[in-house]
Amino acid sequence: MRIASIDIGTNTTLLLIADVDLITGNLTPIHHEQRFPRIGKDVDEKKQIQLSAFERTRAILSDYQ
């Protein structure tokens, strides 16, 4: 069975695609990507996520799709 996982963090957006052995539960990664939309940039100062960070993340998720 093939699965995918996306991890959206403060600075990175990660993608992992892996095959799962349903008997053992072992994962075999077949694709991994790491991109840097920097969602957390200026959040401490401005107390909000910048629109440009949302746009960068949206574009990354679109590419991942």
Side-chain angles (χ1 to χ4, degrees):
M1 171 198 235
R2 185 161 290 168
I3 61 169
S5 174
I6 296 174
D7 176 6
I8 301 173
T10 305
N11 287 305
T12 61
T13 301
L14 310 174
L15 170 67
L16 173 66
I17 300 172
D19 285 333
V20 180
D21 184 316
L22 295 177
I23 296 171
T24 65
N26 290 334
L27 293 175
T28 304
I30 51 177
H31 185 76
H32 177 265
E33 280 192 52
Q34 179 174 350
R35 308 246 188 116
F36 300 90
R38 302 213 16 154
I39 295 170
K41 184 175 190 261
D42 297 329
V43 167
D44 288 339
E45 295 171 16
K46 298 181 180 179
K47 307 297 185 212
Q48 65 182 11
I49 297 172
Q50 300 300 305
L51 183 58
S52 59
F54 278 114
E55 281 301 313
R56 288 190 300 271
T57 304
R58 184 207 56 77
I60 289 168
L61 293 174
S62 180
D63 288 347
Y64 285 175
Q65 181 183 7

